[in-house]
Amino acid sequence: MEKKSTFTKVSRTEQPLYGPRKLLICGFPSGERSAFLEIMKSAEIENVPVVWVESDQADNIIKDLFALPDQSGFKSESELFRAVIMGGITQKELHQLMGTYRNNGMAPALWAVVTPTSENWTLKMLLEELDAERCRMREKMTSKNP
């Protein structure tokens, strides 16, 4: 399976993103999970189920993880990369959530929107691709601003 990543600019419309209306949350320590839920409220992201992905689910397919019930894994620890994988929320909600997250001083996270391609990847594949993209972006920014 070829993993070719491309960035697509997301506007601030009410257009829903691909996938079921749900968030997959990875790598957040248990002590920060309630804080993340409060950030969702502050960002006015309501009625969006959240799945807290456990470390042993790294080999699961993304669309199977999106099928899990709301608040699954809330009490389990996760050693995965810190990431927020979104589906079905509006473009406007995505911007609100990311902005509120950053403004609250939370540790950096990988951010992704599920796509028709990525929903068939394992979580591990997606997280590795997101981390590689982050590294490429850092290199690109460093080369522009030595």
Side-chain angles (χ1 to χ4, degrees):
M1 178 182 316
E2 184 178 324
K3 294 187 295 183
K4 189 162 191 137
S5 63
T6 58
F7 291 102
T8 303
K9 187 171 178 142
V10 177
S11 63
R12 295 179 185 269
T13 70
E14 294 294 333
Q15 178 71 31
L17 300 166
Y18 178 81
R21 188 168 170 80
K22 191 172 277 188
L23 301 179
L24 300 180
I25 311 295
C26 308
F28 279 69
S30 57
E32 293 182 21
R33 293 177 185 189
S34 292
F36 185 86
L37 294 174
E38 287 301 315
I39 286 170
M40 287 180 66
K41 284 182 188 174
S42 295
E44 299 176 8
I45 309 299
E46 301 181 68
N47 302 315
V48 178
V50 176
V51 172
W52 303 92
V53 184
E54 301 173 36
S55 298
D56 65 356
Q57 294 173 310
D59 291 322
N60 291 24
I61 302 296
I62 298 293
K63 69 180 166 187
D64 295 339
L65 293 170
F66 267 95
L68 294 172
D70 186 28
Q71 297 304 317
S72 294
F74 184 79
K75 294 184 180 180
S76 301
E77 288 300 322
S78 176
E79 300 294 323
L80 300 167
F81 284 114
R82 181 184 288 249
V84 179
I85 305 164
M86 300 161 279
I89 64 174
T90 68
Q91 295 175 17
K92 181 179 176 183
E93 289 173 321
L94 176 145
H95 284 285
Q96 288 170 197
L97 180 59
M98 290 179 74
T100 304
Y101 181 91
R102 288 185 186 121
N103 290 339
N104 277 277
M106 298 288 286
L110 301 170
W111 294 83
V113 175
V114 69
T115 67
T117 299
S118 68
E119 74 177 352
N120 294 303
W121 292 0
T122 65
L123 177 64
K124 181 179 179 181
M125 289 171 60
L126 179 59
L127 293 176
E128 287 172 352
E129 180 64 19
L130 291 171
D131 188 50
E133 285 177 358
R134 175 174 49 189
C135 290
R136 287 191 296 271
M137 292 298 289
R138 277 190 192 146
E139 289 171 10
K140 189 175 180 179
M141 300 209 32
T142 302
S143 68
K144 285 184 179 181
N145 302 315

PDB file of all heavy atoms in Angstrom, residues 111-130:
ATOM      1  N   TRP A 111      -2.189  16.173  14.152  1.00  0.00           N
ATOM      2  CA  TRP A 111      -3.591  16.389  13.802  1.00  0.00           C
ATOM      3  C   TRP A 111      -3.850  15.798  12.428  1.00  0.00           C
ATOM      4  O   TRP A 111      -3.045  15.963  11.515  1.00  0.00           O
ATOM      5  CB  TRP A 111      -3.918  17.879  13.768  1.00  0.00           C
ATOM      6  CG  TRP A 111      -3.837  18.530  15.112  1.00  0.00           C
ATOM      7  CD1 TRP A 111      -2.716  19.000  15.733  1.00  0.00           C
ATOM      8  CD2 TRP A 111      -4.914  18.757  16.018  1.00  0.00           C
ATOM      9  NE1 TRP A 111      -3.042  19.518  16.969  1.00  0.00           N
ATOM     10  CE2 TRP A 111      -4.382  19.380  17.164  1.00  0.00           C
ATOM     11  CE3 TRP A 111      -6.274  18.506  15.967  1.00  0.00           C
ATOM     12  CZ2 TRP A 111      -5.164  19.753  18.251  1.00  0.00           C
ATOM     13  CZ3 TRP A 111      -7.068  18.874  17.042  1.00  0.00           C
ATOM     14  CH2 TRP A 111      -6.506  19.490  18.173  1.00  0.00           C
ATOM     15  N   ALA A 112      -4.974  15.117  12.277  1.00  0.00           N
ATOM     16  CA  ALA A 112      -5.316  14.532  10.983  1.00  0.00           C
ATOM     17  C   ALA A 112      -6.822  14.469  10.824  1.00  0.00           C
ATOM     18  O   ALA A 112      -7.564  14.380  11.802  1.00  0.00           O
ATOM     19  CB  ALA A 112      -4.732  13.126  10.868  1.00  0.00           C
ATOM     20  N   VAL A 113      -7.231  14.499   9.562  1.00  0.00           N
ATOM     21  CA  VAL A 113      -8.613  14.259   9.196  1.00  0.00           C
ATOM     22  C   VAL A 113      -8.628  12.937   8.448  1.00  0.00           C
ATOM     23  O   VAL A 113      -7.813  12.714   7.545  1.00  0.00           O
ATOM     24  CB  VAL A 113      -9.146  15.395   8.296  1.00  0.00           C
ATOM     25  CG1 VAL A 113     -10.544  15.077   7.815  1.00  0.00           C
ATOM     26  CG2 VAL A 113      -9.110  16.717   9.041  1.00  0.00           C
ATOM     27  N   VAL A 114      -9.518  12.049   8.839  1.00  0.00           N
ATOM     28  CA  VAL A 114      -9.612  10.762   8.156  1.00  0.00           C
ATOM     29  C   VAL A 114     -10.017  11.002   6.698  1.00  0.00           C
ATOM     30  O   VAL A 114     -10.764  11.933   6.398  1.00  0.00           O
ATOM     31  CB  VAL A 114     -10.591   9.818   8.889  1.00  0.00           C
ATOM     32  CG1 VAL A 114     -12.025  10.290   8.778  1.00  0.00           C
ATOM     33  CG2 VAL A 114     -10.450   8.400   8.387  1.00  0.00           C
ATOM     34  N   THR A 115      -9.473  10.194   5.815  1.00  0.00           N
ATOM     35  CA  THR A 115      -9.774  10.288   4.388  1.00  0.00           C
ATOM     36  C   THR A 115     -10.213   8.921   3.878  1.00  0.00           C
ATOM     37  O   THR A 115     -10.020   7.910   4.570  1.00  0.00           O
ATOM     38  CB  THR A 115      -8.527  10.734   3.594  1.00  0.00           C
ATOM     39  OG1 THR A 115      -7.546   9.686   3.653  1.00  0.00           O
ATOM     40  CG2 THR A 115      -7.955  12.041   4.123  1.00  0.00           C
ATOM     41  N   PRO A 116     -10.754   8.864   2.659  1.00  0.00           N
ATOM     42  CA  PRO A 116     -11.102   7.556   2.108  1.00  0.00           C
ATOM     43  C   PRO A 116      -9.899   6.622   2.003  1.00  0.00           C
ATOM     44  O   PRO A 116     -10.049   5.403   2.081  1.00  0.00           O
ATOM     45  CB  PRO A 116     -11.664   7.896   0.718  1.00  0.00           C
ATOM     46  CG  PRO A 116     -12.149   9.300   0.836  1.00  0.00           C
ATOM     47  CD  PRO A 116     -11.203   9.968   1.806  1.00  0.00           C
ATOM     48  N   THR A 117      -8.721   7.170   1.863  1.00  0.00           N
ATOM     49  CA  THR A 117      -7.508   6.348   1.815  1.00  0.00           C
ATOM     50  C   THR A 117      -7.066   5.956   3.216  1.00  0.00           C
ATOM     51  O   THR A 117      -6.868   4.774   3.511  1.00  0.00           O
ATOM     52  CB  THR A 117      -6.368   7.103   1.097  1.00  0.00           C
ATOM     53  OG1 THR A 117      -6.789   7.390  -0.238  1.00  0.00           O
ATOM     54  CG2 THR A 117      -5.094   6.286   1.072  1.00  0.00           C
ATOM     55  N   SER A 118      -6.923   6.942   4.103  1.00  0.00           N
ATOM     56  CA  SER A 118      -6.366   6.661   5.436  1.00  0.00           C
ATOM     57  C   SER A 118      -7.283   5.811   6.302  1.00  0.00           C
ATOM     58  O   SER A 118      -6.814   5.135   7.214  1.00  0.00           O
ATOM     59  CB  SER A 118      -5.995   7.949   6.161  1.00  0.00           C
ATOM     60  OG  SER A 118      -7.141   8.706   6.499  1.00  0.00           O
ATOM     61  N   GLU A 119      -8.589   5.811   6.043  1.00  0.00           N
ATOM     62  CA  GLU A 119      -9.484   5.008   6.880  1.00  0.00           C
ATOM     63  C   GLU A 119      -9.192   3.508   6.745  1.00  0.00           C
ATOM     64  O   GLU A 119      -9.591   2.727   7.595  1.00  0.00           O
ATOM     65  CB  GLU A 119     -10.945   5.306   6.579  1.00  0.00           C
ATOM     66  CG  GLU A 119     -11.463   4.732   5.283  1.00  0.00           C
ATOM     67  CD  GLU A 119     -12.942   4.983   5.063  1.00  0.00           C
ATOM     68  OE1 GLU A 119     -13.636   5.477   5.978  1.00  0.00           O
ATOM     69  OE2 GLU A 119     -13.407   4.679   3.954  1.00  0.00           O
ATOM     70  N   ASN A 120      -8.482   3.130   5.697  1.00  0.00           N
ATOM     71  CA  ASN A 120      -8.133   1.727   5.487  1.00  0.00           C
ATOM     72  C   ASN A 120      -6.727   1.386   5.956  1.00  0.00           C
ATOM     73  O   ASN A 120      -6.292   0.248   5.811  1.00  0.00           O
ATOM     74  CB  ASN A 120      -8.317   1.372   4.006  1.00  0.00           C
ATOM     75  CG  ASN A 120      -9.773   1.444   3.615  1.00  0.00           C
ATOM     76  OD1 ASN A 120     -10.613   0.775   4.206  1.00  0.00           O
ATOM     77  ND2 ASN A 120     -10.100   2.281   2.653  1.00  0.00           N
ATOM     78  N   TRP A 121      -6.011   2.353   6.494  1.00  0.00           N
ATOM     79  CA  TRP A 121      -4.682   2.126   7.047  1.00  0.00           C
ATOM     80  C   TRP A 121      -4.818   1.653   8.488  1.00  0.00           C
ATOM     81  O   TRP A 121      -5.828   1.901   9.147  1.00  0.00           O
ATOM     82  CB  TRP A 121      -3.867   3.406   7.072  1.00  0.00           C
ATOM     83  CG  TRP A 121      -3.467   3.960   5.740  1.00  0.00           C
ATOM     84  CD1 TRP A 121      -3.743   3.453   4.503  1.00  0.00           C
ATOM     85  CD2 TRP A 121      -2.720   5.151   5.532  1.00  0.00           C
ATOM     86  NE1 TRP A 121      -3.205   4.263   3.539  1.00  0.00           N
ATOM     87  CE2 TRP A 121      -2.571   5.311   4.136  1.00  0.00           C
ATOM     88  CE3 TRP A 121      -2.164   6.089   6.378  1.00  0.00           C
ATOM     89  CZ2 TRP A 121      -1.877   6.388   3.577  1.00  0.00           C
ATOM     90  CZ3 TRP A 121      -1.479   7.161   5.825  1.00  0.00           C
ATOM     91  CH2 TRP A 121      -1.330   7.296   4.433  1.00  0.00           C
ATOM     92  N   THR A 122      -3.760   1.065   9.004  1.00  0.00           N
ATOM     93  CA  THR A 122      -3.725   0.813  10.445  1.00  0.00           C
ATOM     94  C   THR A 122      -3.416   2.143  11.132  1.00  0.00           C
ATOM     95  O   THR A 122      -2.858   3.065  10.520  1.00  0.00           O
ATOM     96  CB  THR A 122      -2.645  -0.206  10.831  1.00  0.00           C
ATOM     97  OG1 THR A 122      -1.351   0.342  10.533  1.00  0.00           O
ATOM     98  CG2 THR A 122      -2.853  -1.543  10.138  1.00  0.00           C
ATOM     99  N   LEU A 123      -3.764   2.222  12.390  1.00  0.00           N
ATOM    100  CA  LEU A 123      -3.445   3.423  13.157  1.00  0.00           C
ATOM    101  C   LEU A 123      -1.938   3.657  13.166  1.00  0.00           C
ATOM    102  O   LEU A 123      -1.475   4.791  13.001  1.00  0.00           O
ATOM    103  CB  LEU A 123      -3.971   3.295  14.588  1.00  0.00           C
ATOM    104  CG  LEU A 123      -3.625   4.459  15.502  1.00  0.00           C
ATOM    105  CD1 LEU A 123      -4.271   5.743  15.018  1.00  0.00           C
ATOM    106  CD2 LEU A 123      -4.049   4.147  16.923  1.00  0.00           C
ATOM    107  N   LYS A 124      -1.174   2.600  13.322  1.00  0.00           N
ATOM    108  CA  LYS A 124       0.287   2.718  13.347  1.00  0.00           C
ATOM    109  C   LYS A 124       0.799   3.364  12.061  1.00  0.00           C
ATOM    110  O   LYS A 124       1.651   4.249  12.099  1.00  0.00           O
ATOM    111  CB  LYS A 124       0.912   1.336  13.537  1.00  0.00           C
ATOM    112  CG  LYS A 124       2.412   1.343  13.611  1.00  0.00           C
ATOM    113  CD  LYS A 124       2.946  -0.058  13.835  1.00  0.00           C
ATOM    114  CE  LYS A 124       4.459  -0.041  13.890  1.00  0.00           C
ATOM    115  NZ  LYS A 124       4.998  -1.390  14.086  1.00  0.00           N
ATOM    116  N   MET A 125       0.274   2.936  10.905  1.00  0.00           N
ATOM    117  CA  MET A 125       0.690   3.516   9.623  1.00  0.00           C
ATOM    118  C   MET A 125       0.377   5.008   9.579  1.00  0.00           C
ATOM    119  O   MET A 125       1.215   5.811   9.153  1.00  0.00           O
ATOM    120  CB  MET A 125      -0.005   2.809   8.459  1.00  0.00           C
ATOM    121  CG  MET A 125       0.478   1.411   8.199  1.00  0.00           C
ATOM    122  SD  MET A 125      -0.552   0.533   6.982  1.00  0.00           S
ATOM    123  CE  MET A 125      -0.397   1.564   5.546  1.00  0.00           C
ATOM    124  N   LEU A 126      -0.823   5.383  10.013  1.00  0.00           N
ATOM    125  CA  LEU A 126      -1.212   6.788   9.986  1.00  0.00           C
ATOM    126  C   LEU A 126      -0.336   7.619  10.918  1.00  0.00           C
ATOM    127  O   LEU A 126       0.156   8.686  10.536  1.00  0.00           O
ATOM    128  CB  LEU A 126      -2.685   6.959  10.353  1.00  0.00           C
ATOM    129  CG  LEU A 126      -3.185   8.410  10.380  1.00  0.00           C
ATOM    130  CD1 LEU A 126      -3.008   9.091   9.026  1.00  0.00           C
ATOM    131  CD2 LEU A 126      -4.632   8.468  10.827  1.00  0.00           C
ATOM    132  N   LEU A 127      -0.114   7.135  12.129  1.00  0.00           N
ATOM    133  CA  LEU A 127       0.711   7.891  13.076  1.00  0.00           C
ATOM    134  C   LEU A 127       2.147   8.039  12.570  1.00  0.00           C
ATOM    135  O   LEU A 127       2.750   9.111  12.714  1.00  0.00           O
ATOM    136  CB  LEU A 127       0.689   7.229  14.453  1.00  0.00           C
ATOM    137  CG  LEU A 127      -0.660   7.264  15.180  1.00  0.00           C
ATOM    138  CD1 LEU A 127      -0.574   6.497  16.488  1.00  0.00           C
ATOM    139  CD2 LEU A 127      -1.146   8.686  15.407  1.00  0.00           C
ATOM    140  N   GLU A 128       2.679   6.997  11.962  1.00  0.00           N
ATOM    141  CA  GLU A 128       4.038   7.086  11.405  1.00  0.00           C
ATOM    142  C   GLU A 128       4.090   8.094  10.265  1.00  0.00           C
ATOM    143  O   GLU A 128       5.046   8.868  10.151  1.00  0.00           O
ATOM    144  CB  GLU A 128       4.512   5.707  10.940  1.00  0.00           C
ATOM    145  CG  GLU A 128       4.854   4.787  12.092  1.00  0.00           C
ATOM    146  CD  GLU A 128       5.152   3.354  11.670  1.00  0.00           C
ATOM    147  OE1 GLU A 128       4.958   2.999  10.472  1.00  0.00           O
ATOM    148  OE2 GLU A 128       5.592   2.577  12.541  1.00  0.00           O
ATOM    149  N   GLU A 129       3.064   8.095   9.414  1.00  0.00           N
ATOM    150  CA  GLU A 129       3.008   9.056   8.313  1.00  0.00           C
ATOM    151  C   GLU A 129       2.880  10.479   8.848  1.00  0.00           C
ATOM    152  O   GLU A 129       3.540  11.401   8.355  1.00  0.00           O
ATOM    153  CB  GLU A 129       1.844   8.726   7.378  1.00  0.00           C
ATOM    154  CG  GLU A 129       1.719   9.661   6.209  1.00  0.00           C
ATOM    155  CD  GLU A 129       2.894   9.645   5.243  1.00  0.00           C
ATOM    156  OE1 GLU A 129       3.681   8.678   5.230  1.00  0.00           O
ATOM    157  OE2 GLU A 129       3.035  10.626   4.490  1.00  0.00           O
ATOM    158  N   LEU A 130       2.052  10.687   9.852  1.00  0.00           N
ATOM    159  CA  LEU A 130       1.901  12.021  10.443  1.00  0.00           C
ATOM    160  C   LEU A 130       3.205  12.507  11.063  1.00  0.00           C
ATOM    161  O   LEU A 130       3.581  13.674  10.919  1.00  0.00           O
ATOM    162  CB  LEU A 130       0.792  12.014  11.494  1.00  0.00           C
ATOM    163  CG  LEU A 130      -0.628  11.836  10.980  1.00  0.00           C
ATOM    164  CD1 LEU A 130      -1.581  11.639  12.153  1.00  0.00           C
ATOM    165  CD2 LEU A 130      -1.053  12.999  10.114  1.00  0.00           C
TER     166      LEU A 130
END
